[in-house]
Amino acid sequence: MKAFTYERATSPAAAAAAVARVQGAKFLAGGTNLLDLMKLEIETPTHLVDVQDLGLDRIEATDAGGLKIGAFVTNSALAADMRVRRDYGVLARAIVAGASGQLRNKATTAGNLLQRTRCPYFYDTNQPCNKRNAGSGCAAIGGISRQLAVIGTSDQCIATYPGDMAVALRVLDATVETVKGDGATRAIPIADFHRLPGDTPQRDSVLEAGELITSVTLPRPIGGTHVYRKVRDRASYAFALISVAAVVDKDGGGRIAFGGVAPKPWRVEAAERALRDGAKAAAAAAFAGARPTAQNKFKIVLAERTLASVLAEAKEG
């Protein structure tokens, strides 16, 4: 691990200003992803700004009838909150499907959104990776790609976004609230928060340098039956080959998003319009334009079958 300096922030604006001011600075919250990457020298921050003591760890009702989730609410606390379990069940289920109890006790809401890909070539510093080192190439293209993306990719990168929580937040139309180094704030729809790789795969999100997530806001509950189904190679502590987050109405319509298939949570409104025609029609719309490899083309069939299982579970109530 390379040497770095450290400070504790006293306010969100001060934290954002500190990271914006120092080249190579990073925020430190739960550290469940960042510290591992630092040990591997994939992340080499020159300065860490500790933001754990800023009081952004509460879940509060909003005037619009939704919930405001502080950036540093732990995954365990969020999944256990009775309001989340009652009104946003897909979110609680998605969180519990991720990582382990120990990690969920430490991982934060903001950190979960910002976790880096688990592409094996990103973690292998002996291999070229445009996400880790822009312009070096992508070893995954032409390499072992079974777990990687089938849609939303580019000629520069085929890595997937690894998380579960953000897939549920995408279905719920959450909003990510931030503060910048100059004190300016903005609200980013979750649909626009994560980026597709294009020609700049090193940028995972639309956040600017020094921009700090302060909260995630959920709109008024939408009702329906909430289901999160995760298919993986082993029963626990594994990332999704396919995941489906769904909120299904009584008449079979609703909202769906997929994880494990793209560089960001994958929601296609055309697929939702086809939902009443069944899983096959919805999956065909969701994966129109997919570019799978020979090793991961099974994911498209698996996504359709997982969606069919989710719809059957929702129908049973």
Side-chain angles (χ1 to χ4, degrees):
M1 185 183 291
K2 294 185 179 294
F4 56 88
T5 53
Y6 170 89
E7 69 174 285
R8 282 184 177 270
T10 56
S11 72
V19 171
R21 182 177 64 249
V22 180
Q23 176 104 20
K26 293 279 187 181
F27 299 113
L28 174 66
T32 57
N33 191 202
L34 176 61
L35 295 182
D36 284 344
L37 294 175
M38 288 174 64
K39 293 172 185 177
L40 295 170
E41 295 190 4
I42 294 170
E43 293 279 9
T44 54
T46 57
H47 184 63
L48 289 182
V49 178
D50 193 325
V51 293
Q52 296 180 82
D53 298 333
L54 300 184
L56 303 176
D57 58 354
R58 293 185 291 274
I59 304 172
E60 302 170 312
T62 67
D63 293 339
L67 287 180
K68 183 175 182 179
I69 304 162
F72 309 134
V73 172
T74 66
N75 287 179
S76 292
L78 183 56
D81 187 275
M82 288 305 301
R83 294 164 294 183
V84 174
R85 295 174 63 185
R86 181 188 65 230
D87 297 328
Y88 307 96
V90 66
L91 177 58
R93 289 174 172 85
I95 293 171
V96 172
S100 65
Q102 293 93 329
L103 284 172
R104 292 194 296 270
N105 287 342
K106 191 66 176 174
T108 64
T109 298
N112 197 297
L113 286 174
L114 295 173
Q115 62 184 303
R116 306 299 308 272
T117 184
R118 264 55 177 196
C119 174
Y121 296 101
F122 174 76
Y123 273 80
D124 185 349
T125 55
N126 293 312
Q127 300 287 341
C129 172
N130 287 321
K131 188 173 283 293
R132 187 183 66 244
N133 184 14
S136 64
C138 176
I141 298 176
I144 298 172
S145 57
R146 177 177 178 272
Q147 293 186 318
L148 302 180
V150 298
I151 197 165
T153 59
S154 74
D155 293 337
Q156 302 293 317
C157 181
I158 61 171
T160 54
Y161 173 78
D164 295 288
M165 184 187 77
V167 183
L169 291 176
R170 180 69 181 90
V171 161
L172 295 170
D173 285 333
T175 300
V176 181
E177 298 176 358
T178 69
V179 63
K180 300 180 183 180
D182 60 1
T185 61
R186 65 168 171 161
I188 307 167
I190 190 69
D192 301 327
F193 182 79
H194 294 102
R195 299 179 69 257
L196 295 178
D199 294 328
T200 54
Q202 70 275 16
R203 292 191 61 202
D204 294 338
S205 75
V206 298
L207 293 182
E208 300 172 6
E211 191 169 6
L212 174 69
I213 297 174
T214 55
S215 63
V216 173
T217 300
L218 299 176
R220 182 186 298 273
I222 57 175
T225 301
H226 291 224
V227 181
Y228 189 80
R229 181 67 59 86
K230 182 176 182 178
V231 181
R232 44 192 165 179
D233 283 327
R234 59 180 183 267
S236 66
Y237 203 63
F239 296 98
L241 289 171
I242 290 289
S243 65
V244 177
V247 178
V248 184
D249 303 332
K250 290 182 179 179
D251 62 358
R255 304 178 184 181
I256 54 172
F258 296 89
V261 297
K264 62 186 291 185
W266 195 251
R267 181 181 174 193
V268 178
E269 280 69 15
E272 295 174 350
R273 291 192 292 271
L275 202 55
R276 291 183 181 85
D277 296 325
K280 187 176 184 66
F287 293 97
R291 298 198 304 170
T293 69
Q295 296 175 22
N296 67 17
K297 62 183 180 181
F298 75 92
K299 283 192 171 192
I300 297 176
V301 178
L302 184 59
E304 178 189 326
R305 293 176 178 175
T306 305
L307 178 58
S309 177
V310 164
L311 295 178
E313 181 178 342
K315 185 176 181 179
E316 294 172 359

